[in-house]
Amino acid sequence: MHHPAYPSATYVPPHRLRLAAAWAALLLAGSAGAAQGTIKLNQVGFLPAAQKLAVVAGDAQARFEVVDAASGKQVFEGSLAGAGTWDASGERVRLADFSALRAPGNYRLRVAGLPESAPFAIKPGVYRELDIAALRNYTLNRSGIALTPAVAGPYARPLAHPDTGVLVHASAASKARPAGTVLSSPKGWYDAGDYNKYIVNSGISTYTLLAAYEHFPEWFAKLPLNLPESGNGLPDLLNETLWNLDWMLTMQDPNDGGVYHKLTNKSFDGMVMPEKATAPRYVVQKTTAATLDFAAVMAAASRVLAPFDSQQPGRSARYLAAAESAWRWAEANPKVLYAQPADIQTGAYGDGSVDDEFAWAAAELLISTGKAAYRTHAFAHAGAAAKGTEPGWADVGMLGWISLAQHGKRLPAGVDAAPVRKQLLANGDRLVERWRASPYRVTMGSKDFVWGSSSVILNQAMMLVAAYRVEPKPDYLDAAQSALDYVLGRNGPGMSFVTGFGQRSPMHPHHRPSEADGIEAPVPGMLVGGPNPGQQDAKDCPAPYPSKLPALSYLDHVCSYASNEIAINWNAPLVYVAAAVESLQR
Ligand code: 9MR
Ligand code: 9MR
C-alpha cells in the first residue's frame, strides 16, 4: 500500500513551536508553582467510549464545563470531585470526569477563574498518528542505514555506524576471538539519545514490540510505516523489529552461544549527527543477563515469524536455534554479571540479579519449543514475585508471565498457565487499588519517579492490559487509559511527554539528532524519560530543575539526560499501550 512519504500529522506547525517554547521558558523561569491553577489532561484526546478525566489544580471551584474548541460553546457540564493532595507534586487537586461526552469533536475544559485547558479531540482512531510516529522513531534511530528523503522526510541522513568493523574488547576476549578481533555487527537501533547498542535494553524493547504485534495483529496490519521494506508481505511493525533482531543475532558468539552485553564507543559522543560520530566501536563482555534476554527475544521472535516463513525462509528456525544455544551458555555460566571495564564509560545496564532473566527466557523457550525441560524455570518467577507490579529493563520476569498467559494453549501437555493468570489478576488489582486512591487517578506513586518514569507508568499499563485480557474488568482498562493520559498531559508539569504531540511538549530532548539536525522542533513521536528527583545530571546542567518534588522534577533542557532523554525501551510501551487502548476499546 502506498501512502504519503511522511505522515503529515507528525510535523510540528510553527505556532505550536512558539507555544511550546513559551511554556518551556515558563517552566524554566518559574517554580513548581507554575503548575498550580492549571487544568491538566490528555492533550491528544480520547476515544469516544473511553473514560475521560482531567485534573484541576487548586480547590476553589466546584464546577467545570467542556466547550467546543472553535466556537467556545458549552457541550458538557459537571461537578468536580472532592479535593485531594497528591504527595508526588504537593498539589491540591480535583478530578473532572466527562466520560459521558462521546460526540466526536475538538474541545477544551473550562473552570471559572482558570486558564482554559489545552485543546483535545474525541474521535475514533485518536491514537493512530501517535502510534505511527512512536514506531517511526525506531526507523529514524536505525544504525547502519542511509535514510532517504522518501523514507525519512526532513530527517533524511547519510549512512552512519555501519558497524562492519567492530573490535572485540579485552573484556570479551575468548580463544576463538582474541582481543582486537574484527567482527561485523551491523543494523540495530541506537539505544536512546546516544549512539550505542545494548543487548539488555534491546531485550525488553524488542519483546514489547513483538508482544504488541502478537496481541493486536489487526491494529498493526493497518498501520503502514513507510519503511524501505514496506510491501514485502510483512506487517511494518515486524519489518522494523527485524532491523534490531538482525543486529542482535550478530551479537551471539557462534563458537559458544554467549552474547556480548553491548556494542559501544569507549565514551559518549558529542552532540553531533550520527554520521559525524566515528569513534571505534567494541563488543564488550558476554554476560548472563544479555544472553538470557537474547534467548527470550529470539524464542519469542521465532514464533512470531513462523507464519511468515515463505517471505522470510528459515528465519524462524534460525531464531529458535540461536535462543537454545544462548540458553545452554547461560546454564553453564549462570552468574556472569556485567562489570564495566575501566576504559569504557557508556551505559552499563548492569543487573545484580538474573533470576528473572532465567524465568523469562525459560517461559519463551517453553512456549516456542514445547519442551517440558523449561517448565521449572519458567514458572519459578510467577510463584515468587508477587511483590512486582511492572517490568523494566532489569526486571523482566513479568514479560514471561505475559507470554505464558497469552499462550496457555501452546504449553506442553500437563503444563497449565492458570497460576500465572491468577498472578496477573492480583497484580492488576494492586495497580487498580493504587489508581483509585490517587488524587491524580494514576497508578504511579512517589517512588516510581525514577530515571525513565514515563516508562514506569506505561509498563504498569501493560500489566493492566495483561490482566484485562485475562478478565475484562473495566477498571483495568480505565487505569491503563489513565497511564496514557498521564504521559500525554495529566501529569505534574501539565505537558505531553511525547515530542510533537499535544499543545505543550518537550522542545529540547537529550537526543543527539534533534540537537544537531538544524531543525528547531525535535523529531516527533519520542517519549522523554520524565520527572526524576534523582537529578543525576544536575552537574551537567546550566539550568536548575524547577522543583525537587518527584512529579515536578523535570527539566526540558538538552542537558537533562536524567529527565529528558529518549530511549527505545520507553517508546515501546507507548506503542503497546496506544495499540491496546485502540484495540480493546469498549
Ligand atoms: O549522552 C549520554 C546519555 O545517553 C546517557 O544516558 C547519560 C548517562 O549515562 O550520559 C550522557 O552523556 C553525558 C555523560 O554521562 C556526562 N558528560 C556529559 C555527557 C553528555 O551530556
Ligand atoms: O534507563 C536507564 C536507567 O534505568 C538508569 O538508571 C540509567 C543510569 O544507569 O541509565 C539509563 O539508560 C541509559 C543508558 O545507560 C545509556 N543510553 C541512554 C539510556 C537512557 O538514559
PDB file of all heavy atoms in Angstrom, residues 66-75 101 104-110 116-122 503:
ATOM      1  N   VAL A  66     -17.157  21.565  29.531  1.00  0.00           N
ATOM      2  CA  VAL A  66     -16.390  21.263  28.322  1.00  0.00           C
ATOM      3  C   VAL A  66     -16.992  22.120  27.228  1.00  0.00           C
ATOM      4  O   VAL A  66     -18.219  22.173  27.077  1.00  0.00           O
ATOM      5  CB  VAL A  66     -16.481  19.763  27.940  1.00  0.00           C
ATOM      6  CG1 VAL A  66     -15.651  19.483  26.693  1.00  0.00           C
ATOM      7  CG2 VAL A  66     -16.020  18.889  29.102  1.00  0.00           C
ATOM      8  N   VAL A  67     -16.109  22.820  26.481  1.00  0.00           N
ATOM      9  CA  VAL A  67     -16.603  23.689  25.416  1.00  0.00           C
ATOM     10  C   VAL A  67     -16.017  23.259  24.083  1.00  0.00           C
ATOM     11  O   VAL A  67     -14.939  22.660  24.030  1.00  0.00           O
ATOM     12  CB  VAL A  67     -16.242  25.183  25.678  1.00  0.00           C
ATOM     13  CG1 VAL A  67     -16.862  25.663  26.984  1.00  0.00           C
ATOM     14  CG2 VAL A  67     -14.734  25.393  25.680  1.00  0.00           C
ATOM     15  N   ASP A  68     -16.744  23.544  23.028  1.00  0.00           N
ATOM     16  CA  ASP A  68     -16.242  23.310  21.681  1.00  0.00           C
ATOM     17  C   ASP A  68     -15.019  24.221  21.470  1.00  0.00           C
ATOM     18  O   ASP A  68     -15.090  25.422  21.761  1.00  0.00           O
ATOM     19  CB  ASP A  68     -17.346  23.639  20.674  1.00  0.00           C
ATOM     20  CG  ASP A  68     -16.879  23.379  19.256  1.00  0.00           C
ATOM     21  OD1 ASP A  68     -17.019  22.229  18.813  1.00  0.00           O
ATOM     22  OD2 ASP A  68     -16.359  24.320  18.627  1.00  0.00           O
ATOM     23  N   ALA A  69     -13.908  23.645  20.966  1.00  0.00           N
ATOM     24  CA  ALA A  69     -12.669  24.427  20.893  1.00  0.00           C
ATOM     25  C   ALA A  69     -12.798  25.605  19.935  1.00  0.00           C
ATOM     26  O   ALA A  69     -12.208  26.657  20.162  1.00  0.00           O
ATOM     27  CB  ALA A  69     -11.500  23.536  20.480  1.00  0.00           C
ATOM     28  N   ALA A  70     -13.569  25.447  18.874  1.00  0.00           N
ATOM     29  CA  ALA A  70     -13.670  26.527  17.883  1.00  0.00           C
ATOM     30  C   ALA A  70     -14.671  27.603  18.310  1.00  0.00           C
ATOM     31  O   ALA A  70     -14.361  28.788  18.317  1.00  0.00           O
ATOM     32  CB  ALA A  70     -14.061  25.942  16.527  1.00  0.00           C
ATOM     33  N   SER A  71     -15.881  27.183  18.699  1.00  0.00           N
ATOM     34  CA  SER A  71     -16.935  28.167  18.964  1.00  0.00           C
ATOM     35  C   SER A  71     -16.981  28.619  20.418  1.00  0.00           C
ATOM     36  O   SER A  71     -17.584  29.648  20.729  1.00  0.00           O
ATOM     37  CB  SER A  71     -18.297  27.563  18.593  1.00  0.00           C
ATOM     38  OG  SER A  71     -18.617  26.518  19.509  1.00  0.00           O
ATOM     39  N   GLY A  72     -16.372  27.848  21.314  1.00  0.00           N
ATOM     40  CA  GLY A  72     -16.434  28.181  22.738  1.00  0.00           C
ATOM     41  C   GLY A  72     -17.766  27.818  23.372  1.00  0.00           C
ATOM     42  O   GLY A  72     -17.998  28.079  24.552  1.00  0.00           O
ATOM     43  N   LYS A  73     -18.664  27.192  22.610  1.00  0.00           N
ATOM     44  CA  LYS A  73     -19.987  26.828  23.142  1.00  0.00           C
ATOM     45  C   LYS A  73     -19.895  25.651  24.099  1.00  0.00           C
ATOM     46  O   LYS A  73     -19.197  24.678  23.837  1.00  0.00           O
ATOM     47  CB  LYS A  73     -20.907  26.435  21.982  1.00  0.00           C
ATOM     48  CG  LYS A  73     -21.585  27.602  21.328  1.00  0.00           C
ATOM     49  CD  LYS A  73     -22.909  27.155  20.661  1.00  0.00           C
ATOM     50  CE  LYS A  73     -23.470  28.288  19.841  1.00  0.00           C
ATOM     51  NZ  LYS A  73     -23.184  28.145  18.400  1.00  0.00           N
ATOM     52  N   GLN A  74     -20.665  25.728  25.183  1.00  0.00           N
ATOM     53  CA  GLN A  74     -20.658  24.630  26.149  1.00  0.00           C
ATOM     54  C   GLN A  74     -21.310  23.376  25.565  1.00  0.00           C
ATOM     55  O   GLN A  74     -22.384  23.456  24.962  1.00  0.00           O
ATOM     56  CB  GLN A  74     -21.438  25.059  27.392  1.00  0.00           C
ATOM     57  CG  GLN A  74     -21.343  24.017  28.492  1.00  0.00           C
ATOM     58  CD  GLN A  74     -22.358  24.255  29.602  1.00  0.00           C
ATOM     59  OE1 GLN A  74     -23.423  23.671  29.617  1.00  0.00           O
ATOM     60  NE2 GLN A  74     -21.986  25.133  30.525  1.00  0.00           N
ATOM     61  N   VAL A  75     -20.662  22.222  25.743  1.00  0.00           N
ATOM     62  CA  VAL A  75     -21.260  20.963  25.283  1.00  0.00           C
ATOM     63  C   VAL A  75     -21.477  19.988  26.432  1.00  0.00           C
ATOM     64  O   VAL A  75     -22.131  18.957  26.271  1.00  0.00           O
ATOM     65  CB  VAL A  75     -20.390  20.277  24.208  1.00  0.00           C
ATOM     66  CG1 VAL A  75     -20.302  21.125  22.945  1.00  0.00           C
ATOM     67  CG2 VAL A  75     -18.991  19.983  24.738  1.00  0.00           C
ATOM     68  N   LEU A 101     -19.368  12.432  27.756  1.00  0.00           N
ATOM     69  CA  LEU A 101     -19.285  13.153  26.480  1.00  0.00           C
ATOM     70  C   LEU A 101     -18.625  12.235  25.448  1.00  0.00           C
ATOM     71  O   LEU A 101     -17.444  11.898  25.565  1.00  0.00           O
ATOM     72  CB  LEU A 101     -18.460  14.439  26.654  1.00  0.00           C
ATOM     73  CG  LEU A 101     -18.226  15.257  25.376  1.00  0.00           C
ATOM     74  CD1 LEU A 101     -19.531  15.728  24.750  1.00  0.00           C
ATOM     75  CD2 LEU A 101     -17.318  16.453  25.668  1.00  0.00           C
ATOM     76  N   PRO A 104     -17.824  13.009  18.780  1.00  0.00           N
ATOM     77  CA  PRO A 104     -16.539  13.420  18.222  1.00  0.00           C
ATOM     78  C   PRO A 104     -16.452  14.933  18.061  1.00  0.00           C
ATOM     79  O   PRO A 104     -17.460  15.594  17.749  1.00  0.00           O
ATOM     80  CB  PRO A 104     -16.508  12.719  16.861  1.00  0.00           C
ATOM     81  CG  PRO A 104     -17.369  11.513  17.051  1.00  0.00           C
ATOM     82  CD  PRO A 104     -18.475  11.965  17.976  1.00  0.00           C
ATOM     83  N   GLY A 105     -15.292  15.479  18.308  1.00  0.00           N
ATOM     84  CA  GLY A 105     -15.087  16.913  18.177  1.00  0.00           C
ATOM     85  C   GLY A 105     -13.767  17.326  18.785  1.00  0.00           C
ATOM     86  O   GLY A 105     -13.009  16.483  19.282  1.00  0.00           O
ATOM     87  N   ASN A 106     -13.524  18.655  18.734  1.00  0.00           N
ATOM     88  CA  ASN A 106     -12.343  19.220  19.397  1.00  0.00           C
ATOM     89  C   ASN A 106     -12.826  20.121  20.516  1.00  0.00           C
ATOM     90  O   ASN A 106     -13.681  20.983  20.294  1.00  0.00           O
ATOM     91  CB  ASN A 106     -11.500  20.017  18.408  1.00  0.00           C
ATOM     92  CG  ASN A 106     -10.825  19.091  17.422  1.00  0.00           C
ATOM     93  OD1 ASN A 106     -10.181  18.121  17.814  1.00  0.00           O
ATOM     94  ND2 ASN A 106     -10.994  19.367  16.138  1.00  0.00           N
ATOM     95  N   TYR A 107     -12.262  19.921  21.681  1.00  0.00           N
ATOM     96  CA  TYR A 107     -12.809  20.568  22.875  1.00  0.00           C
ATOM     97  C   TYR A 107     -11.720  21.174  23.751  1.00  0.00           C
ATOM     98  O   TYR A 107     -10.543  20.911  23.571  1.00  0.00           O
ATOM     99  CB  TYR A 107     -13.570  19.535  23.711  1.00  0.00           C
ATOM    100  CG  TYR A 107     -14.651  18.793  22.962  1.00  0.00           C
ATOM    101  CD1 TYR A 107     -14.449  17.484  22.518  1.00  0.00           C
ATOM    102  CD2 TYR A 107     -15.884  19.403  22.703  1.00  0.00           C
ATOM    103  CE1 TYR A 107     -15.450  16.800  21.833  1.00  0.00           C
ATOM    104  CE2 TYR A 107     -16.887  18.720  22.026  1.00  0.00           C
ATOM    105  CZ  TYR A 107     -16.664  17.417  21.589  1.00  0.00           C
ATOM    106  OH  TYR A 107     -17.647  16.758  20.925  1.00  0.00           O
ATOM    107  N   ARG A 108     -12.194  21.944  24.742  1.00  0.00           N
ATOM    108  CA  ARG A 108     -11.342  22.401  25.846  1.00  0.00           C
ATOM    109  C   ARG A 108     -12.152  22.292  27.132  1.00  0.00           C
ATOM    110  O   ARG A 108     -13.375  22.347  27.099  1.00  0.00           O
ATOM    111  CB  ARG A 108     -10.973  23.875  25.684  1.00  0.00           C
ATOM    112  CG  ARG A 108     -10.022  24.173  24.555  1.00  0.00           C
ATOM    113  CD  ARG A 108      -9.789  25.680  24.509  1.00  0.00           C
ATOM    114  NE  ARG A 108      -9.086  26.074  23.304  1.00  0.00           N
ATOM    115  CZ  ARG A 108      -7.760  26.168  23.217  1.00  0.00           C
ATOM    116  NH1 ARG A 108      -6.998  25.892  24.261  1.00  0.00           N
ATOM    117  NH2 ARG A 108      -7.194  26.536  22.093  1.00  0.00           N
ATOM    118  N   LEU A 109     -11.454  22.194  28.239  1.00  0.00           N
ATOM    119  CA  LEU A 109     -12.131  22.214  29.536  1.00  0.00           C
ATOM    120  C   LEU A 109     -12.052  23.631  30.089  1.00  0.00           C
ATOM    121  O   LEU A 109     -11.036  24.302  29.944  1.00  0.00           O
ATOM    122  CB  LEU A 109     -11.428  21.258  30.496  1.00  0.00           C
ATOM    123  CG  LEU A 109     -12.359  20.384  31.319  1.00  0.00           C
ATOM    124  CD1 LEU A 109     -12.838  19.235  30.452  1.00  0.00           C
ATOM    125  CD2 LEU A 109     -11.616  19.827  32.534  1.00  0.00           C
ATOM    126  N   ARG A 110     -13.124  24.039  30.740  1.00  0.00           N
ATOM    127  CA  ARG A 110     -13.157  25.390  31.293  1.00  0.00           C
ATOM    128  C   ARG A 110     -13.583  25.303  32.763  1.00  0.00           C
ATOM    129  O   ARG A 110     -14.532  24.595  33.093  1.00  0.00           O
ATOM    130  CB  ARG A 110     -14.173  26.204  30.491  1.00  0.00           C
ATOM    131  CG  ARG A 110     -14.040  27.693  30.650  1.00  0.00           C
ATOM    132  CD  ARG A 110     -15.124  28.394  29.858  1.00  0.00           C
ATOM    133  NE  ARG A 110     -14.733  28.708  28.481  1.00  0.00           N
ATOM    134  CZ  ARG A 110     -15.607  29.143  27.563  1.00  0.00           C
ATOM    135  NH1 ARG A 110     -16.889  29.264  27.853  1.00  0.00           N
ATOM    136  NH2 ARG A 110     -15.196  29.440  26.351  1.00  0.00           N
ATOM    137  N   GLU A 116      -8.126  28.263  30.292  1.00  0.00           N
ATOM    138  CA  GLU A 116      -8.725  27.074  29.671  1.00  0.00           C
ATOM    139  C   GLU A 116      -7.674  25.991  29.464  1.00  0.00           C
ATOM    140  O   GLU A 116      -6.489  26.288  29.323  1.00  0.00           O
ATOM    141  CB  GLU A 116      -9.312  27.451  28.300  1.00  0.00           C
ATOM    142  CG  GLU A 116     -10.655  28.112  28.401  1.00  0.00           C
ATOM    143  CD  GLU A 116     -11.265  28.365  27.021  1.00  0.00           C
ATOM    144  OE1 GLU A 116     -10.587  28.149  26.003  1.00  0.00           O
ATOM    145  OE2 GLU A 116     -12.427  28.795  26.988  1.00  0.00           O
ATOM    146  N   SER A 117      -8.122  24.758  29.404  1.00  0.00           N
ATOM    147  CA  SER A 117      -7.191  23.643  29.178  1.00  0.00           C
ATOM    148  C   SER A 117      -6.656  23.695  27.750  1.00  0.00           C
ATOM    149  O   SER A 117      -7.186  24.410  26.902  1.00  0.00           O
ATOM    150  CB  SER A 117      -7.905  22.313  29.387  1.00  0.00           C
ATOM    151  OG  SER A 117      -8.685  21.991  28.240  1.00  0.00           O
ATOM    152  N   ALA A 118      -5.644  22.911  27.495  1.00  0.00           N
ATOM    153  CA  ALA A 118      -5.192  22.672  26.123  1.00  0.00           C
ATOM    154  C   ALA A 118      -6.342  22.018  25.364  1.00  0.00           C
ATOM    155  O   ALA A 118      -7.187  21.351  25.966  1.00  0.00           O
ATOM    156  CB  ALA A 118      -3.984  21.753  26.133  1.00  0.00           C
ATOM    157  N   PRO A 119      -6.379  22.185  24.040  1.00  0.00           N
ATOM    158  CA  PRO A 119      -7.421  21.505  23.280  1.00  0.00           C
ATOM    159  C   PRO A 119      -7.150  20.000  23.200  1.00  0.00           C
ATOM    160  O   PRO A 119      -6.003  19.570  23.333  1.00  0.00           O
ATOM    161  CB  PRO A 119      -7.307  22.132  21.884  1.00  0.00           C
ATOM    162  CG  PRO A 119      -5.912  22.649  21.793  1.00  0.00           C
ATOM    163  CD  PRO A 119      -5.486  22.992  23.194  1.00  0.00           C
ATOM    164  N   PHE A 120      -8.197  19.238  23.020  1.00  0.00           N
ATOM    165  CA  PHE A 120      -8.061  17.780  22.857  1.00  0.00           C
ATOM    166  C   PHE A 120      -9.187  17.315  21.950  1.00  0.00           C
ATOM    167  O   PHE A 120     -10.189  18.005  21.793  1.00  0.00           O
ATOM    168  CB  PHE A 120      -8.129  17.072  24.215  1.00  0.00           C
ATOM    169  CG  PHE A 120      -9.437  17.285  24.939  1.00  0.00           C
ATOM    170  CD1 PHE A 120     -10.487  16.379  24.794  1.00  0.00           C
ATOM    171  CD2 PHE A 120      -9.627  18.408  25.740  1.00  0.00           C
ATOM    172  CE1 PHE A 120     -11.700  16.581  25.444  1.00  0.00           C
ATOM    173  CE2 PHE A 120     -10.843  18.624  26.391  1.00  0.00           C
ATOM    174  CZ  PHE A 120     -11.884  17.715  26.242  1.00  0.00           C
ATOM    175  N   ALA A 121      -9.011  16.148  21.367  1.00  0.00           N
ATOM    176  CA  ALA A 121     -10.022  15.606  20.465  1.00  0.00           C
ATOM    177  C   ALA A 121     -10.751  14.453  21.126  1.00  0.00           C
ATOM    178  O   ALA A 121     -10.217  13.783  22.012  1.00  0.00           O
ATOM    179  CB  ALA A 121      -9.353  15.114  19.179  1.00  0.00           C
ATOM    180  N   ILE A 122     -11.999  14.246  20.707  1.00  0.00           N
ATOM    181  CA  ILE A 122     -12.675  12.981  20.960  1.00  0.00           C
ATOM    182  C   ILE A 122     -12.985  12.433  19.580  1.00  0.00           C
ATOM    183  O   ILE A 122     -13.664  13.105  18.784  1.00  0.00           O
ATOM    184  CB  ILE A 122     -13.970  13.166  21.776  1.00  0.00           C
ATOM    185  CG1 ILE A 122     -13.632  13.669  23.183  1.00  0.00           C
ATOM    186  CG2 ILE A 122     -14.766  11.854  21.845  1.00  0.00           C
ATOM    187  CD1 ILE A 122     -14.847  13.901  24.087  1.00  0.00           C
ATOM    188  N   GLN A 503      -0.469  20.234  22.925  1.00  0.00           N
ATOM    189  CA  GLN A 503      -0.178  21.667  22.792  1.00  0.00           C
ATOM    190  C   GLN A 503       1.189  22.025  23.362  1.00  0.00           C
ATOM    191  O   GLN A 503       1.895  22.863  22.836  1.00  0.00           O
ATOM    192  CB  GLN A 503      -1.261  22.475  23.511  1.00  0.00           C
ATOM    193  CG  GLN A 503      -1.024  23.980  23.458  1.00  0.00           C
ATOM    194  CD  GLN A 503      -2.164  24.744  24.085  1.00  0.00           C
ATOM    195  OE1 GLN A 503      -3.215  24.954  23.487  1.00  0.00           O
ATOM    196  NE2 GLN A 503      -1.961  25.144  25.329  1.00  0.00           N
TER     197      GLN A 503
END
